[in-house]
Amino acid sequence: MRETVATRSLPRDRCDALTSPRPLRRAHFPETTLTEAGAVTQVSWQSVFYFWGFFGFCWTALWITFSASRPTEHPFISQEEVAYISYHVQSKVWACIAGHTAFNWVIYMLLTELPSFMKVVLGMELAASGRLSGLPFLTLFVTQTAAGMAADWLVKKGHARVGHLLPSDVWLV
């Protein structure tokens, strides 16, 4: 096998999968999400890229149509909303951005590095580590759903007002 910069740091079985002409097996790519893994096994590995490319074009079209650089330039916002946004929202938006950025960093580190850590450091096989790698995301789903339900309950009972609770992303970080 010819060694390249891209394959120099990969384990031998990953290098073989990237450079050999044989069909790729699912076990070589544990980083894919469940949805993408389903698309790869049912259609082809290229379908994942076509889907996200199409989604990106749709999102861009919606963003260009419905967004504006400033609230005063937006065609669907009234003057009362502009005044409220400029007075109340500024610091809360930055707090949400900071919390969501930290949350995303943790999630993407787990998504990309956990399977490799479990294989290289803990010596687990990819199939077993793939199942265990999903546990943090299952926990995330359960805790975010519970946090959302708890926030709704607090607002409904009058113990909190909308906009005065921390987002569930911040609670998890």
Side-chain angles (χ1 to χ4, degrees):
M1 177 185 75
R2 183 175 52 117
E3 184 173 313
T4 64
V5 174
T7 60
R8 192 170 297 141
S9 62
L10 293 173
R12 180 81 177 151
D13 62 336
R14 294 287 297 268
C15 293
D16 291 343
L18 294 174
T19 57
S20 70
R22 69 175 187 237
L24 297 175
R25 296 187 315 238
R26 287 187 322 180
H28 290 290
F29 297 97
E31 295 88 8
T32 58
T33 62
L34 294 175
T35 306
E36 291 169 346
V40 167
T41 58
Q42 297 300 316
V43 185
S44 70
W45 64 269
Q46 295 99 335
S47 64
V48 174
F49 296 98
Y50 292 132
F51 170 78
W52 287 112
F54 178 74
F55 180 78
F57 280 120
C58 293
W59 178 259
T60 302
L62 288 171
W63 186 266
I64 289 170
T65 304
F66 294 108
S67 70
S69 296
R70 291 175 177 66
T72 55
E73 299 171 0
H74 199 281
F76 304 118
I77 295 180
S78 68
Q79 291 301 324
E80 295 84 25
E81 290 174 309
V82 170
Y84 179 82
I85 289 170
S86 62
Y87 183 72
H88 288 92
V89 174
Q90 196 74 20
S91 63
K92 294 175 185 175
V93 168
W94 283 110
C96 286
I97 289 171
H100 196 66
T101 300
F103 172 78
N104 280 341
W105 186 85
V106 170
I107 289 301
Y108 285 112
M109 284 300 293
L110 280 175
L111 181 68
T112 58
E113 297 299 326
L114 191 59
S116 300
F117 171 80
M118 295 176 90
K119 179 176 175 25
V120 175
V121 177
L122 301 178
M124 298 179 75
E125 290 298 320
L126 285 176
S129 69
R131 286 187 286 276
L132 287 176
S133 296
L135 286 178
F137 302 103
L138 178 62
T139 305
L140 174 70
F141 170 75
V142 170
T143 55
Q144 278 194 325
T145 303
M149 292 170 65
D152 287 344
W153 181 81
L154 288 171
V155 169
K156 186 177 180 181
K157 294 294 184 183
H159 299 297
R161 293 182 298 158
V162 174
H164 293 276
L165 293 173
L166 288 174
S168 61
D169 293 356
V170 177
W171 291 353
L172 294 173
V173 174

